[in-house]
Amino acid sequence: MQNNQLSEPSEKQPLQQLLSRPDIWQLASQQRQLRTGISTGYRGLDALLSNRGWPRGATSELLLDKGGIGEISLILPTLAEMTRQNRMVVLIAPPHIPYAPALVQAGVRLEKLLILHPRGQRDQLWAAEQSLQSGACGALVSWQGKENPADKDLRRLQIAAREGDCLHFHFRPGSCASAPSPASLRLQLRSDGEQLAIQLLKQLNGRSGQRVHLPRSPNLTRRDQPLH
C-alpha cells in the first residue's frame, strides 16, 4: 500500500507535506544530524573531525613551531561567524597586532572583537578562565607565553570552556605535542608552500593521524611590531 502511494503521488500534494511523511527517508537530513560541532569553514577539515566541526564548549589546541604561517586563517571563518551571530570573540595576549582591514575583509565585526594583554601568565590564565565561563563569549583565542602552563591550569580552562559553552582555541609551541593535554582536540600546524598542513594529533571520540592541506593567508598580523 505504501509503495503504491509513493509511486503515484498526487501532483497537487505540496512538497513539504510529502517530505514530512514518516515513510520518507531523507539522506540530507540524516547527514545534517551528524554535525554536532561548529563548522571550521573548511569541508576537508570538517570531514575529518568526529563532530564535523570544532568541538563545542571545549579547548582545541593548535600547535606550531613558528607563528605567521597562516594559523589565524584556520580559525578566521569561525571567528567571523561568531561575530556575525552577535557573540564576542576575545583574543588574549596575541603575539602580533591583528591587521584590522584583513579581519574586516574576512567578515569579522570588529566591534565584537576584544583584545586583552594581561600582565604575566597568572593574569592571562585568570582572564581566560573568567572569559570562558562567563557565557558572554562565542570564542576565545589564547597564546601560550614563555612559561608552560601546568596540567591543572589547562584542565581548568577546558572546564571553563564547557561551563560557558565557549570555543577555546589555544596556540602552543609544537614541542608541546609530545606532552599529554586535556584538550578535546589537538592539531599540528606546519607551512607547506602556499598551504597550511594540518595533522590531527588527538580528538575525542574520533580517529587521529589524518592530514589535510588548506589554503592560508599569512597577512593577518602586523609582524613588524611584535608585542612579546
Side-chain angles (χ1 to χ4, degrees), residues 11 26 38 79 98 122 134 146-148 183 191 199 202-203 215 220 222:
E11 295 182 356
Q26 299 182 53
I38 297 177
L79 301 186
R122 298 313 307 172
S134 69
K146 297 179 180 178
E147 298 180 50
N148 193 17
S191 174
Q199 180 180 8
K202 169 191 174 184
Q203 65 170 330
L220 294 171
R222 293 183 58 181

Side-chain angles (χ1 to χ4, degrees), residues 47-125:
L48 297 181
L49 300 178
S50 58
N51 297 318
R52 297 296 184 267
W54 301 114
R56 295 175 180 271
T59 296
S60 296
E61 281 189 4
L62 309 174
L63 301 107
L64 67 165
D65 293 324
K66 180 181 179 181
I69 61 172
E71 65 273 18
I72 297 300
S73 61
L74 174 63
I75 60 176
L76 195 56
T78 304
L79 301 186
E81 178 61 25
M82 285 294 161
T83 62
R84 285 195 292 267
Q85 293 179 9
N86 214 29
R87 305 194 66 183
M88 289 297 301
V89 170
V90 178
L91 310 183
I92 294 186
H96 299 282
I97 300 174
Y99 189 46
L103 296 178
V104 171
Q105 187 175 11
V108 175
R109 294 175 57 195
L110 296 183
E111 67 272 22
K112 290 297 177 181
L113 188 66
L114 179 63
I115 302 176
L116 303 178
H117 287 283
R119 294 182 178 178
Q121 186 186 51
R122 298 313 307 172
D123 286 350
Q124 290 180 13
L125 291 171

